[in-house]
């Protein structure tokens, strides 16, 4: 599983390597620059005769750029280094690389080109021939805030050139933790990142601006990342393959997961349909949908494989208080409960939901109106001694926590981690990048999915998938990992087949088998 670090965690790793292990910072910088060179050679094979523009800021990122410039020159490239700060602002290892570069510049042969220019106005760039490659070594992972002045002008110039651009560690202007951009950031074709990827490369604009991501081993031993306490991971297909349930030869329907779903109300029978069918699509053996009794004729038509349990209802035809005894009977039967899709906001139904949650001694996935019932009642979760998965989108999570949606989107990893640890649940915080947080403080960033999945019912499909995996014996966190990744992959396959705009939730549901097969076949390959 691929580790992902915050900028602060990466700084701690660097400090550990330098201060506790005695690895010189200049050696880490040399390893970093060599990795950048390797990433460039993977593209070009040779850089001899190519013209490279290297833009350097004041920090270690600029030092990396100066080392890269030196090595490009050593491979017969024409190199122009543009410092965006006065040379006397360079410190430490960056200063060392600047002084080396200056000595090389002074000693080069007449026909060689290795220039170091302190750039004061972006218009000066027009004096030089057009580059073949641009190296962005302006800010690095420590940058936060708004790009201004000469830095803004230079980044704007870089983006306007349509030249192959390599960013060192992270595209300049991109927030290394959140993936946000204030104003402008470099649009790279490749980002050569140091040690482990940064969270900002996985979120928001970080999913687009870095281009391809190339990870460089700069010489920090793997145990250092564990010592620092990094608990954030990026999900890949192999992580799902290792977790998918294997059905024994003597399986029967009741040994493969018994799911009881409290779902549906007038106008929301689709939520009941998709959440229960998706549980079966991932392998659940038996699913019973507990539904308001007046909806039974409709769902008898919609659901063939899923069994139906008509329940006493309110005057609004939602699940009523008199259904509680029958619900508890089927709770005893089930391995896993689904609580919430399409249940409505009816007050009496809400009281039924809260009563069910308080009595939970089985694993459960709570979504939609199940989450709405928990608003103001979150402490119920702390009293439960079973595995619970919550699957809110940012709006639902905002109602649960009173946190602004903007903060949730900006600090998704931290707020998900803190909530999961505090309430002892697995939290699936949905969005353009879905993250999964465990009660142990681990966070898993999903790598699949696309904008076409922003469609009504998509979340109901995910809820059923997670419950289906839990019913087959997977832990809550492993079920969430498999469910979220395969849900996104099913959406990607649906996009490839029909496009993003026409995609509906049933298209995602129908692609679940293809997604599972794709993951399994990749394993055999």
């Amino acid at each position: 599983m691929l580790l992902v670090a915050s900028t602060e965690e990466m700084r701690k790793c660097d400090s550990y390597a330098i201060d506790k292990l005695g690895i010189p910072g200049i050696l880490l910088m040399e390893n970093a620059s060599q990795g950048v060179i390797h990433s460039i050679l993977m593209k070009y094979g040779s850089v001899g005769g190519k013209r490279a523009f290297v833009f350097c800021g004041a920090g270690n990122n600029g030092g990396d750029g100066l080392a890269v410039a030196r090595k490009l020159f050593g491979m017969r490239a024409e190199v122009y280094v543009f410092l965006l700060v006065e040379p006397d602002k360079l410190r430490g290892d960056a200063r060392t690389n600047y002084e080396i570069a200056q000595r090389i510049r002074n000693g080069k042969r007449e026909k060689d080109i290795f220039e170091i220019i302190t750039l004061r106005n972006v218009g000066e760039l027009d004096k030089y021939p057009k580059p073949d490659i641009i190296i962005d070594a302006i800010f690095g992972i420590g940058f936060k805030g708004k790009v201004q002045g000469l830095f803004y002008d230079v980044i704007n110039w870089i983006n306007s050139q349509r030249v192959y651009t390599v960013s060192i560690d992270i595209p300049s202007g991109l927030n290394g933790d959140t993936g946000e951009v204030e104003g402008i950031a470099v649009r790279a074709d490749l980002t050569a990142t140091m040690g482990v990827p940064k969270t900002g490369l996985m979120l928001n604009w970080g999913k687009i601006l870095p281009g391809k991501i190339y990870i460089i081993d700069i010489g920090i031993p793997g145990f250092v990342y564990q010592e620092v306490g990094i608990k954030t991971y990026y999900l890949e297909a192999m992580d799902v393959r290792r977790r998918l349930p294997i059905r024994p030869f003597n399986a029967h329907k009741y040994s493969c997961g018994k799911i009881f779903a409290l779902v549906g109300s007038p106008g929301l029978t689709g939520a009941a349909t998709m959440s229960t069918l998706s549980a079966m699509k991932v392998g659940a053996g038996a699913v019973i949908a507990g539904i308001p009794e007046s909806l039974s004729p409709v769902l008898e038509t919609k659901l063939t494989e899923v069994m139906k349990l008509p329940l006493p209802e309110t005057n609004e035809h939602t699940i009523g208080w008199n259904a509680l005894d029958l619900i508890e009977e089927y709770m005893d039967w089930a391995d896993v409960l689904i609580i919430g899709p399409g249940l409505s906001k009816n007050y009496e139904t809400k009281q039924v939901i809260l009563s069910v949650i308080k009595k939970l001694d089985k694993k459960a996935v709570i979504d939609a109106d199940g989450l709405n019932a928990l608003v103001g009642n979150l402490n119920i979760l702390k009293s439960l001694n079973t595995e619970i998965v919550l699957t809110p989108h940012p709006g639902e999570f905002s109602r649960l926590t009173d946190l602004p949606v903007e903060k949730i989107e900006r600090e998704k990893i931290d707020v998900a981690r803190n909530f999961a640890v505090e309430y002892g649940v697995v939290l699936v915080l949905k969005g353009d990048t879905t993250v999964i947080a465990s009660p142990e403080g681990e966070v898993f960033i999903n790598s699949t999915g696309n904008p076409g999945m922003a469609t009504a019912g998509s979340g109901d499909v995910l809820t059923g998938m997670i419950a289906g995996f839990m019913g087959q014996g997977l832990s809550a966190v492993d079920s969430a990992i498999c469910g979220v990744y395969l849900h996104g992959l099913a959406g990607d396959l649906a996009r490839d087949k029909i496009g993003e705009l026409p995609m509906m939730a049933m298209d995602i549901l129908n692609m679940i088998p293809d997604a599972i097969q794709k993951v399994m076949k990749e394993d055999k390959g």
Side-chain angles (χ1 to χ4, degrees):
M1 193 172 288
L2 184 63
L3 277 175
V4 182
S6 69
T7 57
E8 179 60 27
E9 287 170 337
M10 197 64 226
R11 275 192 287 267
K12 288 180 179 179
C13 291
D14 288 340
S15 295
Y16 192 109
I18 294 168
D19 299 335
K20 294 188 178 182
L21 301 182
I23 301 175
I26 194 71
L27 177 58
L28 296 178
M29 189 171 285
E30 196 69 9
N31 292 341
S33 63
Q34 189 58 45
V36 175
I37 291 294
H38 188 263
S39 72
I40 294 170
L41 294 179
M42 288 175 65
K43 164 72 174 177
Y44 288 104
S46 171
V47 294
K50 294 195 179 295
R51 187 177 300 113
F53 279 18
V54 184
F55 293 93
C56 297
N60 282 340
N61 200 245
D64 292 337
L66 286 159
V68 168
R70 168 180 23 108
K71 291 177 178 179
L72 288 172
F73 176 69
M75 290 184 285
R76 306 297 184 189
E78 298 179 8
V79 179
Y80 296 82
V81 177
F82 297 98
L83 293 178
L84 305 189
V85 296
E86 296 297 327
D88 61 8
K89 291 189 177 180
L90 297 172
R91 298 285 185 270
D93 298 328
R95 181 73 192 184
T96 298
N97 269 305
Y98 170 74
E99 291 171 352
I100 294 171
Q102 280 286 23
R103 286 193 286 271
I104 291 173
R105 173 180 176 273
N106 295 335
K108 66 180 173 65
R109 294 178 303 176
E110 185 175 346
K111 67 178 181 178
D112 293 332
I113 297 177
F114 186 48
E115 300 296 333
I116 302 175
I117 303 104
T118 301
L119 193 69
R120 295 180 172 85
N121 188 302
V122 74
E124 297 174 26
L125 293 170
D126 295 335
K127 298 187 299 185
Y128 300 94
K130 187 177 178 68
D132 300 303
I133 183 172
I134 292 173
I135 308 298
D136 160 33
I138 301 172
F139 289 136
I141 63 173
F143 176 81
K144 289 179 173 62
K146 190 173 183 179
V147 180
Q148 296 178 325
L150 177 62
F151 299 104
Y152 182 99
D153 293 339
V154 168
I155 292 175
N156 188 51
W157 184 90
I158 291 172
N159 289 343
S160 71
Q161 296 305 296
R162 301 184 182 274
V163 169
Y164 191 78
T165 301
V166 176
S167 286
I168 297 180
D169 218 2
I170 196 165
S172 292
L174 184 70
N175 185 300
D177 289 323
T178 67
E180 291 180 308
V181 173
E182 292 188 45
I184 198 170
V186 170
R187 187 182 300 112
D189 296 285
L190 182 141
T191 296
T193 196
M194 311 306 165
V196 297
K198 315 308 175 291
T199 56
L201 295 173
M202 310 297 176
L203 304 170
N204 299 311
W205 282 101
K207 297 169 66 176
I208 300 171
L209 294 178
K212 293 181 180 179
I213 295 174
Y214 181 79
I215 302 170
I216 298 172
D217 178 2
I218 59 174
I220 297 177
F223 73 85
V224 173
Y225 301 113
Q226 306 301 327
E227 286 290 321
V228 167
I230 298 175
K231 289 186 175 183
T232 307
Y233 307 89
Y234 187 66
L235 293 181
E236 300 176 293
M238 68 180 71
D239 304 317
V240 176
R241 286 196 293 270
R242 295 167 180 168
R243 289 170 167 80
L244 284 176
I246 298 174
R247 186 159 292 189
F249 75 94
N250 59 347
H252 56 84
K253 65 182 179 182
Y254 291 141
S255 68
C256 296
K258 297 175 289 183
I259 314 295
F260 180 49
L262 285 176
V263 290
S265 62
L268 295 172
T269 57
T273 301
M274 288 179 285
S275 59
T276 53
L277 283 179
S278 59
M280 300 201 76
K281 283 283 189 181
V282 299
V287 179
I288 296 177
I291 55 175
E293 55 191 355
S294 62
L295 298 185
S296 185
V298 175
L299 289 169
E300 288 290 353
T301 302
K302 284 191 166 192
L303 295 172
T304 301
E305 295 89 346
V306 175
M307 294 175 278
K308 276 70 63 179
L309 176 67
L311 295 170
E313 58 184 34
T314 67
N315 292 334
E316 295 180 358
H317 304 293
T318 62
I319 293 175
W321 189 257
N322 290 336
L324 201 52
D325 289 342
L326 194 53
I327 290 172
E328 290 178 7
E329 179 182 335
Y330 279 84
M331 288 171 65
D332 292 337
W333 167 85
D335 299 314
V336 180
L337 270 70
I338 294 173
I339 304 172
L343 282 178
S344 85
K345 295 180 176 63
N346 177 277
Y347 177 79
E348 184 176 331
T349 304
K350 175 181 175 181
Q351 299 310 307
V352 174
I353 295 170
L354 287 173
S355 180
V356 168
I357 294 174
K358 287 177 182 177
K359 297 176 182 179
L360 277 176
D361 59 0
K362 300 289 180 70
K363 296 186 284 187
V365 183
I366 303 175
D367 184 30
D369 291 316
L371 298 172
N372 290 329
L374 283 172
V375 174
N377 299 288
L378 280 177
N379 284 332
I380 293 174
L381 299 173
K382 295 181 178 180
S383 65
L384 300 178
N385 188 29
T386 187
E387 291 187 286
I388 305 294
V389 180
L390 306 186
T391 61
H393 56 62
E396 291 168 331
F397 193 65
S398 178
R399 291 194 290 274
L400 281 173
T401 61
D402 286 331
L403 294 173
V405 170
E406 294 76 14
K407 180 179 177 66
I408 294 167
E409 295 282 16
R410 185 175 61 251
E411 303 172 22
K412 179 176 285 188
I413 290 173
D414 288 340
V415 298
R417 192 193 317 270
N418 294 339
F419 184 94
V421 171
E422 180 177 358
Y423 291 100
V425 299
V426 172
L427 180 72
V428 176
L429 184 51
K430 298 181 290 194
D432 60 348
T433 301
T434 295
V435 301
I436 303 156
S438 77
E440 292 72 38
E442 297 173 311
V443 174
F444 306 87
I445 303 172
N446 189 39
S447 59
T448 59
N450 62 82
M453 300 178 70
T455 184
S458 177
D460 300 315
V461 175
L462 175 60
T463 293
M465 293 176 72
I466 295 171
F469 285 125
M470 290 174 75
Q472 294 172 80
L474 271 62
S475 69
V477 69
D478 284 349
S479 297
I481 286 171
C482 290
V484 167
Y485 184 93
L486 289 168
H487 178 255
L489 182 56
D492 290 341
L493 294 174
R495 172 201 58 200
D496 295 343
K497 183 176 181 180
I498 64 173
E500 290 183 357
L501 293 181
M503 193 186 305
M504 296 189 295
M506 289 300 291
D507 298 313
I508 301 170
L509 188 147
N510 290 332
M511 281 294 179
I512 292 172
D514 299 79
I516 294 173
Q517 287 301 306
K518 182 175 175 63
V519 166
M520 297 306 294
K521 286 178 180 177
E522 285 180 3
D523 186 33
K524 293 177 182 178

